[in-house]
Amino acid sequence: LRAARKAGLSVGAYLDREHAQPGSTPEAVRAMTKIGGLTGSCDVVCEIGPGSGRFAVEVIEALHPGAYEIYETARDWLPTLRRLPNVVVRPADGHTLAATPDASVDLVHSQRTFSYLKPYVVIGYLAEMARVVKPGGVVAFDTVTDPCLDERTAELWAEVGSIHHMISRDWLLQ
């Protein structure tokens, strides 16, 4: 937060600049809402692992949800996240969306989170996402799949270690 303020940038813009590509967060949200057919506004959005809130800010701006549910296990981000419009902080246990009723969410998403989780946790979250999304709603996420691991990346992971976990792309598609 301090570094973003010092740079005169929003947290999202700062993180994009330092750890991704400038503008990649709003670009990802535009793609997610376009591909998902989400326009205007929606009743309820649920995000797993919002962290800094950079995706939440963009989704709230794009969809103006009546409620934006968040499941965040890193308690140090909660004061920042609570300042966002219509945020509902749910009790996060790190593997379920227990406080969200079945078929109650227009969009349930997780960005830049699943690659840090063990595959069995991701599988559990995917089942939870399917449970809470309304019929015709949208489930969106990103993760690292086996085709992402080319020879150079494998060498780098072996050399320096990696905090990322992979999941089978074929399994996800099925």
Side-chain angles (χ1 to χ4, degrees):
L1 292 171
R2 280 189 294 271
R5 275 193 292 272
K6 185 178 178 180
L9 298 170
S10 70
V11 173
Y14 179 80
L15 290 171
D16 280 358
R17 185 184 83 182
E18 296 298 314
H19 302 288
Q21 295 289 330
S24 63
T25 298
E27 182 180 316
V29 170
R30 278 191 300 276
M32 177 175 64
T33 56
K34 181 180 178 182
I35 292 167
L38 300 166
T39 58
S41 64
C42 61
D43 294 328
V44 181
V45 171
C46 178
E47 183 175 0
I48 301 166
S52 68
R54 69 181 173 163
F55 285 90
V57 167
E58 298 294 332
V59 170
I60 289 168
E61 186 175 305
L63 299 177
H64 312 286
Y68 196 95
E69 297 184 2
I70 61 167
Y71 286 84
E72 178 56 65
T73 59
R75 299 206 175 275
D76 54 338
W77 280 119
L78 292 178
T80 300
L81 294 166
R82 282 191 171 100
R83 293 186 205 121
L84 297 172
N86 302 323
V87 163
V88 178
V89 178
R90 297 295 193 190
D93 60 16
H95 64 279
T96 71
L97 305 177
T100 301
D102 294 358
S104 64
V105 175
D106 299 291
L107 166 64
V108 57
H109 73 105
S110 184
Q111 312 302 324
R112 310 296 189 265
T113 300
F114 285 178
S115 67
Y116 299 103
L117 303 177
K118 303 255 187 227
Y120 68 87
V121 176
V122 174
I123 291 166
Y125 269 134
L126 293 172
E128 283 288 273
M129 293 169 98
R131 178 185 65 78
V132 303
V133 72
K134 291 178 181 177
V138 175
V139 172
F141 60 92
D142 61 5
T143 192
V144 177
T145 61
D146 43 325
C148 299
L149 190 63
D150 59 21
E151 187 173 339
R152 177 65 191 128
T153 304
E155 290 170 358
L156 184 62
W157 282 16
E159 181 181 320
V160 300
S162 176
I163 57 175
H164 297 288
H165 298 277
M166 286 185 300
I167 195 162
S168 166
R169 182 177 188 274
D170 289 341
W171 183 87
L172 281 173
L173 293 175
Q174 290 174 16

